[in-house]
Amino acid sequence: MAAFLVVSITFCQFLFLKKAFEFQEKTSDHNIQKALSRVLREINTNGQNWDQQGNKSVNQLSPKYFVVNIDHKISSDQLKSLLKKEFSNMDINGEFQFAVYDKKEKKLLFGDYISHGKPDKKAKPVAGLPVYDYNDYYFCVYFPFKNQNILADMGMWIILSGLLFIAVLFFIYTIYILLKQKRLSEIQKDFINNMTHEFQTPISTISISSEALKDSKMIDSKERIINYATIIQEEALRLQKQVDTILQVARVDQHSIKLNKEKIDAHYHIRKAVEKIQMQTGINPNYCVLNFQAESPYLLADPIHFFNIIYNILENAIKYSKDLPEVIITTSTLKNNFNISISDKGVGMNPKEARLIFKKFYRVPSKKIKNIKGFGIGLYYVRLMTKAHGGKIYVETKVDIGSTFTVCLPN
Ligand SMILES: Nc1ncnc2c1ncn2[C@@H]1O[C@H](COP(=O)(O)OP(=O)(O)OP(=O)(O)O)[C@@H](O)[C@H]1O
Ligand SMILES: [Mg+2]
């Protein structure tokens, strides 16, 4: 709707300017013809604006070119002074050039090129003024910059239109900001919903478990006490991890990315991440195939952030797998870059979604992953950190086939 309005306003404005130009052009043509008629009246002995056959003597042959039939010969100088006088009377200030037809030689003899009321000696005669087999005596006047002069006369209108155009642009910008704000507030709402849910589950598990521990019958069963204590510990750890993730991104957002770069063994950290995920999720220890082909495992990077990058991508590969996760991690050295590819055979994404996943709080709105919880900040963090290391991250993905995330870090 807004786009339609903007396009209509711009179109109307264009039409308005075009009409205004045509109007100015008509007025200018009318004034020129009037001035030329006056010149003619002073030249013609009979003082008429018509020739003997009753044809009009002042004719406009093209927008910039006027021809005037006269009934006797006139010198260039005489014509020049007449033209200057009448043009200045009619307030026609633009540059012009005139030529008088020479009957004997059958060609146009150029007069002066008049610029700002004075002859401009340097200006060359306009080539290509056509000779008309028109009348025995005639002269013609050519206005090379007529359109420019009309535009200059329309200055006020053009400025006003320009202002209106700026107002329209401003309007578009405001709408853009409004839409962006709306999207942000929706995202924020989703995030708070997600967070509440994520926090609620461990909190209620912890309170139920502690309630159970308080039960007097429980004191006798050491095994059950240990069971509940383990549950509480695990849930507390889960809460801690979630708080950590949010804090991590909050810290990064305050532009305080501090990298403690050191020479690290990338393969060692990748193995550690694979193990940690296995321990946390309890999945088959062989879920991940390691295909290390990099010439050297060493890399200059911040070990904590490097570990988190791999961990986040790997965690997604497990979270968004269809049934049993199958992951392949490949490392390679290419043009001084250390590349790490993490491929899964999960639910995949369509290209439109894939373009958005690195944005903060973005989660693919799909039924398939409805029950999978998350904040939508894992990949945002990954991209920020990869960039901070001077690297890049790509994703290749197909719905129902799987995804490959490739991190390229400069070596
Ligand atoms: N390997 C993958 N396969 C399919 N979809 C994925 C994959 N990795 C990420 N996605 C999609 O990208 C979205 C953003 O991922 P991201 O890791 O940033 O957030 P999240 O996993 O939802 O939450 P968290 O902040 O806890 O990581 C996910 O919600 C998911 O829809
Ligand atoms: Mg994630």
Side-chain angles (χ1 to χ4, degrees):
M1 184 67 194
F4 175 73
L5 258 177
V6 165
V7 170
S8 317
I9 291 175
T10 315
F11 182 69
C12 288
Q13 209 181 339
F14 175 75
L15 272 188
F16 164 77
L17 273 182
K18 194 168 162 271
K19 284 272 168 233
F21 182 83
E22 281 167 7
F23 176 75
Q24 283 280 351
E25 194 178 28
K26 250 192 197 153
T27 316
S28 148
D29 287 349
H30 180 76
N31 287 346
I32 292 172
Q33 293 202 7
K34 216 165 157 186
L36 289 176
S37 295
R38 286 198 198 176
V39 172
L40 178 68
R41 236 176 280 153
E42 292 190 42
I43 297 171
N44 273 3
T45 40
N46 62 6
Q48 288 292 321
N49 271 0
W50 290 273
D51 62 12
Q52 276 123 8
Q53 283 83 43
N55 296 321
K56 252 176 90 184
S57 292
V58 179
N59 293 293
Q60 182 172 7
L61 296 186
S62 78
K64 297 176 179 177
Y65 189 44
F66 295 78
V67 173
V68 183
N69 293 325
I70 44 181
D71 60 6
H72 63 264
K73 201 174 167 182
I74 181 171
S75 78
S76 187
D77 283 341
Q78 195 190 347
L79 180 62
K80 181 166 74 185
S81 67
L82 280 173
L83 285 174
K84 271 167 69 178
K85 188 178 97 191
E86 292 303 340
F87 280 175
S88 92
N89 279 347
M90 290 301 292
D91 225 12
I92 302 165
N93 302 317
E95 281 110 322
F96 69 90
Q97 178 167 30
F98 63 94
V100 185
Y101 179 65
D102 188 285
K103 191 184 163 195
K104 248 188 263 155
E105 296 203 29
K106 288 204 173 209
K107 68 175 195 185
L108 284 168
L109 297 181
F110 283 100
D112 275 327
Y113 180 89
I114 311 286
S115 166
H116 301 293
K118 288 189 207 101
D120 185 344
K121 294 285 178 221
K122 275 180 252 154
K124 286 193 200 112
V126 188
L129 279 187
V131 176
Y132 285 90
D133 201 5
Y134 214 62
N135 199 4
D136 284 350
Y137 306 100
Y138 70 88
F139 69 88
C140 44
V141 185
Y142 178 71
F143 296 87
F145 300 115
K146 193 170 151 226
N147 288 348
Q148 285 89 326
N149 291 329
I150 292 176
L151 283 178
D153 286 345
M154 283 170 60
M156 197 60 206
W157 294 112
I158 293 177
I159 289 173
L160 280 178
S161 297
L163 285 179
L164 186 65
F165 189 67
I166 291 174
V168 169
L169 282 187
F170 188 71
F171 178 65
I172 298 175
Y173 178 70
T174 315
I175 290 181
Y176 168 75
I177 294 283
L178 270 178
L179 288 180
K180 205 171 144 188
Q181 287 285 352
K182 191 170 155 248
R183 209 179 67 89
L184 268 181
S185 83
E186 270 163 19
I187 286 176
Q188 207 171 22
K189 210 171 71 193
D190 281 355
F191 172 69
I192 290 175
N193 281 345
N194 269 332
M195 195 169 73
T196 321
H197 185 96
E198 289 273 291
F199 283 172
Q200 212 123 48
T201 322
I203 289 172
S204 47
T205 318
I206 289 174
S207 50
I208 292 168
S209 305
S210 40
E211 201 62 41
L213 278 180
K214 276 202 282 184
D215 192 342
S216 53
K217 283 180 233 150
M218 193 68 83
I219 312 287
D220 307 331
S221 168
K222 204 173 160 192
E223 201 181 306
R224 282 171 81 183
I225 291 178
I226 292 174
N227 244 340
Y228 281 115
T230 317
I231 291 175
I232 291 175
Q233 194 188 16
E234 274 171 7
E235 292 301 304
L237 274 177
R238 206 170 113 182
L239 267 178
Q240 183 63 50
K241 194 198 146 244
Q242 278 154 1
V243 172
D244 281 351
T245 316
I246 293 173
L247 280 182
Q248 231 170 27
V249 171
R251 238 175 266 140
V252 161
D253 274 355
Q254 285 159 7
H255 304 289
S256 53
I257 309 180
K258 264 205 203 110
L259 296 181
N260 293 318
K261 279 195 188 175
E262 56 188 69
K263 191 176 168 187
I264 62 163
D265 179 343
H267 291 167
Y268 165 78
H269 287 281
I270 294 173
R271 270 199 203 95
K272 234 175 60 179
V274 171
E275 273 166 29
K276 189 171 171 192
I277 295 261
Q278 197 278 325
M279 264 160 47
Q280 280 178 344
T281 53
I283 50 172
N284 180 352
N286 299 324
Y287 77 97
C288 184
V289 176
L290 299 177
N291 180 17
F292 291 157
Q293 294 191 352
E295 283 159 18
S296 150
Y298 295 107
L299 186 65
L300 201 64
D302 183 312
I304 295 176
H305 290 307
F306 178 81
F307 176 85
N308 286 342
I309 290 174
I310 306 298
Y311 181 87
N312 272 303
I313 301 176
L314 204 52
E315 188 193 36
N316 283 345
I318 309 302
K319 256 162 85 174
Y320 306 109
S321 63
K322 275 180 286 191
D323 14 58
L324 285 180
E326 285 178 59
V327 184
I328 303 173
I329 303 184
T330 311
T331 63
S332 58
T333 316
L334 229 149
K335 285 191 211 149
N336 264 342
N337 272 341
F338 192 94
N339 295 345
I340 307 142
S341 293
I342 303 180
S343 302
D344 63 56
K345 295 183 180 162
V347 294
M349 288 162 274
N350 67 40
K352 207 176 137 206
E353 292 160 350
R355 247 176 278 132
L356 297 170
I357 51 174
F358 296 104
K359 286 199 178 309
K360 194 160 51 166
F361 302 138
Y362 180 82
R363 304 198 74 221
V364 174
S366 156
K367 283 187 203 110
K368 264 185 269 175
I369 60 161
K370 194 143 195 152
N371 298 322
I372 305 172
K373 286 293 152 196
F375 298 125
I377 47 183
L379 288 179
Y380 169 73
Y381 166 85
V382 167
R383 196 181 63 167
L384 265 182
M385 282 307 154
T386 314
K387 266 188 166 176
H389 278 85
K392 281 182 182 149
I393 176 159
Y394 308 98
V395 57
E396 284 168 73
T397 172
K398 256 199 176 128
V399 175
D400 284 338
I401 305 284
S403 318
T404 301
F405 286 82
T406 305
V407 179
C408 310
L409 296 175
N411 205 347

